[in-house]
């Protein structure tokens, strides 16, 4: 191999991203291929150091897809924390009052669902993949899409490793590998860097509403025995977001006295100083929530963007040689605030289309389009179609949105005026320029270090780590536009909407400049989504960089170490794992 020739790894099917969608898709594909006597090699690449370490705990999971994927198992065999056994919905007032909803509509109910750690679930699915002979490569990030002479997707190129911040090769330099595949499945999660390129190149959003996003900011707490029961679920509206900002809070009870608390903020607000991290801190100042946390200890912190556009924001799901699945394709039900079961189902449906492609030895759109046909005949289509106008209804405020959602429950998903399709919008275009009248929502917010925390403290608890001597993975397309015009017109909103203090205004000699602390990045992609000029481009960093949400709680970690006979000294290190 010459110095400039890259190593090639031929594979039959490559899944890009090691989340629930890809893992479920790979498992189903492997089984269906064997059932049809098709001999194929399947691989998954994941940018995190290990499967699950970029997946923060605390989600409510509908088990429907897991039951399909593992019909031989009962729900008790899945790595869930607890069945949902108490479900509440409250309107919170900033005064400290709370008002319970008299009942929870069926379409928003979590009856029959389970609280789960997404990290545990993905690690469990990863183990199942390895047991069935599916290769998982960590930590490898996709850097570039490969195309053949017919402009069909032919695989991906992994990123070079061991390149310093100036672009020079370090002593540990390793050139990226060209992974050639007959079918490449993109399951990178929200706003995936390669998925974004593919959508742009083939104009896959041409017939869809713009995708509109939200960001969920979350903390895990260890609370005293009896504070919260495993299986408790509460969702909140009102304080702190009010009527004009889409979103709401949630509290989930897990095993080992772990409490998940978080806030989802729609990334289509108008005030450029909105700060999703600060909104979560404001949520915790409410007396009812403060009572949950008053004797607790913060364990972990993280953030993740969510595709909230719904059914009409799903792009075209196939091109020659490639498919889109999971959050990359927008499979999330905003009304239920659930996407894991839909992501997994999308991976399984994609797998069935891939089996067809191998049967016909045709990896073009002609056969891969069966993916959409299978989707249209599935329960996933019915569920998403019923909630198709959910987020769009909130454009005129929370009260209008809730009324629209209520109406949709009785009209098969139609919005006000019995309109079948409410038009969507690009969230970043809703942001208004800063003026003297722009409201400062956080002037009275204080970080006490007990209940409320500044961003630096929270990021510390995300265990985020990047090698700082690498090419920054946050690319500013037009620095002058970002540092000058955006500062003047919007006050550099990146310093507010980033939940990890990546973008920081630094004062030097009576002059301000924007500093980019890329090593703080928790990989939520909010900057790529919400920048008003779309001049920030998030790409994958060198493999293994980012947050490390494993282990997710001390008790589980200690139990695991005891089971393998670990020493007390190692257990002490384990108790600080969220800080390393």
């Amino acid at each position: 191999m010459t110095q400039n020739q890259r190593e090639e790894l031929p594979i039959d099917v490559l899944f890009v991203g090691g989340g629930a969608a890809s893992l479920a898709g790979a498992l189903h594909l492997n089984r269906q291929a064997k059932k049809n006597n098709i001999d194929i090699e399947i691989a998954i690449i994941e940018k995190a150091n290990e499967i699950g370490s970029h997946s923060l705990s605390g989600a409510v999971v509908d088990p429907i897809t897991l039951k399909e994927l593992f019909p031989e198992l009962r729900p008790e065999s899945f790595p869930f924390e607890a069945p949902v056994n108490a479900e509440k919905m409250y309107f919170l007032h900033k005064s400290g009052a709370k008002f319970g909803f008299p009942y929870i509509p069926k379409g928003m109910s979590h009856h029959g669902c389970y609280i789960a750690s997404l990290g545990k679930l993905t690690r469990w699915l990863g183990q199942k993949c390895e047991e069935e002979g599916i290769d998982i490569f960590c930590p490898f990030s996709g850097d570039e899409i490969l195309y053949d002479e017919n402009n069909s997707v032919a695989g991906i190129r992994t990123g070079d490793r061991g390149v310093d911040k100036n672009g020079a090769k370090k002593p540990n330099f390793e050139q990226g590998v060209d992974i050639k595949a007959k079918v490449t499945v993109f399951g990178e999660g929200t706003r995936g860097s390669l998925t974004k390129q593919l959508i742009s190149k083939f104009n896959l959003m041409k017939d869809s509403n713009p995708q509109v996003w939200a960001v969920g900011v979350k903390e895990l707490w260890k609370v005293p025995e009896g504070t919260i029961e495993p299986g408790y679920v509460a969702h909140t509206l009102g304080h702190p977001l009010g009527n004009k900002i889409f979103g709401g809070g949630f509290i989930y009870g897990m095993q080992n006295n772990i409490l998940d608390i978080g806030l989802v903020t729609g990334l289509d607000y108008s005030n450029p100083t909105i700060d999703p991290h600060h909104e979560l801190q404001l949520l915790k100042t409410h007396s009812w929530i403060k009572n949950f946390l008053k004797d607790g200890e913060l364990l972990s912190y993280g953030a993740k963007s969510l595709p909230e556009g719904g059914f009409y924001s799903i792009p075209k799901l196939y091109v020659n040689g490639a498919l889109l699945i999971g959050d990359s394709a927008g499979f999330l039900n905003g009304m239920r605030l659930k996407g894991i079961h839909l992501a997994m189902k999308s991976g399984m449906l994609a797998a069935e289309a891939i089996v067809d492609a191998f049967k016909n030895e045709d990896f073009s759109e002609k056969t891969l389009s069966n993916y959409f046909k299978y989707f249209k005949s599935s329960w996933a289509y019915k569920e998403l179609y019923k909630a198709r106008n959910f987020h769009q209804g909130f454009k005129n405020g929370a009260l209008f949105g809730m009324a629209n959602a209520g109406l949709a429950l009785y009209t098969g998903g139609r919005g006000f005026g019995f309109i079948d399709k409410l038009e969507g919008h690009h969230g970043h275009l809703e942001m208004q320029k800063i003026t003297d009248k722009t409201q400062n929502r956080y002037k009275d917010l204080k970080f006490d270090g007990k209940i409320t925390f500044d961003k630096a403290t929270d990021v510390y608890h995300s265990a985020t780590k990047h090698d700082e001597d690498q090419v920054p993975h946050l690319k500013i397309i037009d620095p002058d536009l970002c540092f000058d015009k955006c500062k003047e017109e919007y006050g550099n909103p990146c310093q507010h909407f980033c939940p990890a203090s990546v973008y920081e205004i630094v004062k030097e000699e009576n002059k301000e400049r924007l500093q980019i602390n890329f090593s703080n990045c928790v990989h939520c992609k909010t900057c790529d989504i919400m920048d008003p000029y779309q001049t920030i481009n998030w790409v994958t960093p060198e493999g293994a960089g980012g947050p490390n949400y494993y282990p997710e709680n001390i008790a589980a970690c200690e139990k695991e170490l005891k089971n393998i006979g670990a020493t007390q000294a190692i257990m002490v290190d384990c108790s600080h794992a969220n800080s390393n």
Side-chain angles (χ1 to χ4, degrees), residues 89-111:
M89 185 177 287
Y90 296 110
F91 179 87
L92 304 183
H93 190 270
K94 62 182 179 180
S95 67
K98 95 177 151 59
F99 306 95
F101 282 61
Y103 78 102
I104 299 175
K106 183 178 179 180
M108 302 177 186
S109 171
H110 297 80
H111 177 73

Side-chain angles (χ1 to χ4, degrees), residues 380-400:
Y381 177 91
K382 295 175 182 176
E383 178 179 328
L384 284 169
Y385 190 70
K386 286 181 180 178
R388 63 191 179 277
N389 290 311
F390 177 72
H391 188 96
Q392 295 91 312
F394 284 82
K395 183 174 175 60
N396 294 316
L399 295 177
F400 185 93

Side-chain angles (χ1 to χ4, degrees), residues 175-241:
Q175 191 175 48
V177 177
D178 285 352
I179 305 178
K180 298 291 187 69
K182 294 173 182 175
V183 181
T184 304
V185 186
F186 292 90
E188 300 177 282
T190 51
R191 195 75 162 193
S193 53
L194 296 184
T195 303
K196 190 169 66 169
Q197 294 175 31
L198 195 73
I199 288 173
S200 176
K201 180 179 178 68
F202 294 105
N203 197 18
L204 301 182
M205 295 295 291
K206 179 180 66 172
D207 299 319
S208 305
N209 273 343
Q211 185 59 266
V212 61
W213 312 84
V215 60
V217 182
K218 183 188 302 181
E219 294 175 351
L220 270 64
W221 285 67
K222 180 83 169 182
V223 294
E225 185 80 32
T227 302
I228 192 167
E229 293 296 320
Y232 177 86
V233 169
H235 287 95
T236 70
L237 297 172
H239 173 79
L241 297 176

Side-chain angles (χ1 to χ4, degrees), residues 299-315:
L299 293 180
S300 190
Y301 168 81
K304 181 188 181 298
S305 52
L306 307 167
E308 291 276 359
F311 174 80
Y312 283 123
S313 294
I314 293 176

Side-chain angles (χ1 to χ4, degrees), residues 471-485:
V471 178
H473 66 281
L474 297 162
K475 311 290 186 181
I476 307 301
I477 299 169
D478 187 341
D480 292 336
L481 184 65
C482 182
F483 300 151
D484 297 328
K485 188 173 182 180

Side-chain angles (χ1 to χ4, degrees), residues 146-154 180:
L146 303 176
Y147 299 93
D148 65 15
E149 64 277 4
N150 298 316
N151 213 25
S152 298
V153 174
K180 298 291 187 69

Side-chain angles (χ1 to χ4, degrees), residues 54 56-58 190 213-220 241 246-250 252 261-267 269 275-281 283 300-308 327 332 337 497-500 522-526 529 549:
H54 282 183
L56 183 59
S57 181
T190 51
W213 312 84
V215 60
V217 182
K218 183 188 302 181
E219 294 175 351
L220 270 64
L241 297 176
F246 174 84
F250 57 87
Y252 303 148
I261 181 168
L263 185 77
V264 173
T265 303
L267 295 177
Y269 51 77
D275 188 316
H277 168 273
H278 288 10
E279 295 294 331
L280 174 59
Q281 305 313 306
L283 174 67
S300 190
Y301 168 81
K304 181 188 181 298
S305 52
L306 307 167
E308 291 276 359
D327 280 354
L332 182 139
L337 196 59
F497 58 57
C498 173
V522 295
H523 296 198
C524 68
K525 323 286 181 63
T526 303
I529 293 165
Y549 301 132

